[in-house]
Amino acid sequence: MIETPTCSCGANEPKRIIFPCAGQANVGQLTNLAAVQLTEEGYGSIACVALLAIGTETLIANAKNADEVVILDGCPMLCAKKIADAQGVTAAQHLVMTELGITKGPSKNYTDDDIEKIVSACWGGEGKKEKVVAKPSKKTVGPDSDCGCGCGDSC
Amino acid sequence: MKIMVTIEVLGTGCPNCKRQMSNVETAVKQLGITAEIKKIEEISQIMERGVMMLPAIIIDGDLKVSGRIADVPEIKKFLTGGA
């Protein structure tokens, strides 16, 4: 009997854990939706960043044993990245939704194209690029003052 | 136009195989190289190449990856001789 190749997507995929920031704004909620879709597509497994934040040992161990940790942050506050850093978990890939051209709030609306943009960027490894992430600066004086998270002072 | 590399993307056409093709096209575009990209979807043609796990990428006759989706940085390494 001749063995024929089958589509074995995921058979050799690295073990990945995906932490979405899951923030309240549209970009935060988009990280969740994208992480769910990435999990369904076999890219990796979504995990709870809140569980990581409280220092759950098994999750930290799983993250450290994974081939790749992927962090999806909604905005330049980089909450999920900071949580991972605090627990000693290093991201192989880090994507920030606002850097992908998705505008943060005040609307909670999103489109399927927004989700696809994030999922596609993740599969493409866009967050693996070496880059310098500027610290959010908080301007408290003058007309340009905002909270520093990229929301235009709407959060 | 001079063809510098031949890239064969093997896959039966599922969504993830299409992502593999998209990543290859992005890598070629980012590197600014000239490449002939072939989509190989026929099982008989895939078997001729001895590939048993999909999706797969063959560059100038060398199997670079099979059974998973290579991301853009990885494909760029394949194309620049880094892997």
Side-chain angles (χ1 to χ4, degrees), chain B residues 69-83:
Chain B
I69 298 174
D71 60 29
V72 175
E74 188 178 13
I75 296 166
K76 284 164 81 173
K77 278 185 189 173
F78 295 154
L79 291 168
T80 55

Side-chain angles (χ1 to χ4, degrees), chain B residues 48-62:
Chain B
E48 277 174 17
R49 288 158 176 80
V51 174
M52 297 306 294
M53 299 185 83
L54 301 174
I57 298 175
I58 295 175
I59 298 176
D60 286 339
D62 289 336

